[in-house]
Amino acid sequence: MTATTRTGTRTGTRTGGTARTAAGTKTRATGPARTALPGATAPAPALVVVAHGSRDPRALSTVRALLGEVRALRPALPVHLGHIELNEPLLPDTLGALGDAEPAVLVPLLLSRGHHVTRDIPEMAGAFPARPRVAAPLGPHPLLVDALHARLREAGWPARVPADGAVVLASAGSRDPQSRAGTARTATHLAARLGVPVLPAYASAAAPTVPEAVRDLTARGYRRVAVASCFTAPGRFATECAAAAPWIVSAPLGTHPAMARLLLHRYDEALRTVGTAAPRAALVP
């Protein structure tokens, strides 16, 4: 692309560096012209989905398939993947490949707010000059409840509410009280949807465990206790929790359509937030 400069009525051609007019006057050039056309808008920031990572190969394939669903919903949006640990690409590598000047929104593929969301991901993001924003985790949110409900129905949860039915909401667990509070809210919303008690339980770091929650509900007279897998993908925790189910157990949320919609919702929500990124990256409420 070339640009022209004008001195009086005479013009010269610029291709970058220093340009010289036909009259011999030097003008300063800054490289190829990048001015947007009238009415044009800046490109949307990239969406970086931040997964935890797992040694189970099914987890990575599931996450990649989910990103494919996101791209199908919004083809023009650049969508990238970064992991906190265990799988490649790691988040710092993904951000490094984007470049220092390219804006991005990091959406945690995590189902509640905890240490990874409040500390680990913002600290990784804050190491890069572009200071990408960090969106809220996927839960609690009605779309997450949609996915949990649908997976339970696929596993055999009856359309008619069983009088002796109850659900254990199985999640990874965290020592962070914010994470447990988020899981408890999701359990409350799922109970309202199903019309039966839903007891949150955890695979690690918090109580009760899934077997403890099953025993609690059984002792209270619930004979049909289902386990709802509040996991984004297959892995060790999901497998262990499924083994404790006395009745039906739902599959991890994976590529359920509500999950792709929820990732885009959190991305859009972060973009609507007023203000600039904080020194350690902006964590959107």
Side-chain angles (χ1 to χ4, degrees), residues 141-162 167 169 186 189-196 198 226-230 248-251 253 256 258-259:
H141 193 274
L143 284 169
L144 178 58
V145 176
D146 287 348
L148 288 165
H149 186 202
R151 290 293 192 233
L152 278 170
R153 292 296 306 274
E154 292 167 3
W157 184 264
R160 185 174 180 178
V161 179
V167 172
L169 181 65
T186 298
H189 297 324
L190 183 59
R193 181 75 61 88
L194 295 172
V196 299
V198 176
V227 172
S229 296
C230 195
I248 61 173
V249 57
S250 63
L253 303 173
H256 188 275
M259 296 294 285

Side-chain angles (χ1 to χ4, degrees), residues 179-208:
S179 176
R180 295 194 296 275
T183 302
R185 286 178 59 192
T186 298
T188 298
H189 297 324
L190 183 59
R193 181 75 61 88
L194 295 172
V196 299
V198 176
L199 186 61
Y202 307 95
S204 69

Side-chain angles (χ1 to χ4, degrees), residues 55-143:
R55 293 183 176 86
D56 190 321
R58 296 173 299 169
L60 181 56
S61 61
T62 298
V63 171
R64 285 175 172 165
L66 176 58
L67 264 63
E69 297 290 333
V70 173
R71 294 185 181 106
L73 288 175
R74 200 168 298 183
L77 178 65
V79 179
H80 305 276
L81 173 63
H83 292 92
I84 298 172
E85 59 181 359
L86 298 176
N87 292 125
E88 294 182 347
L90 294 172
L91 178 57
D93 295 333
T94 298
L95 294 177
L98 287 177
D100 292 344
E102 186 171 348
V105 175
L106 313 187
V107 181
L109 188 59
L110 301 170
L111 303 180
S112 62
R113 189 181 296 268
H115 187 82
H116 288 315
V117 174
T118 60
R119 295 293 300 276
D120 292 341
I121 297 174
E123 287 178 0
M124 291 181 192
F128 290 83
R131 292 293 195 269
R133 294 187 180 191
V134 180
L138 300 188
H141 193 274
L143 284 169

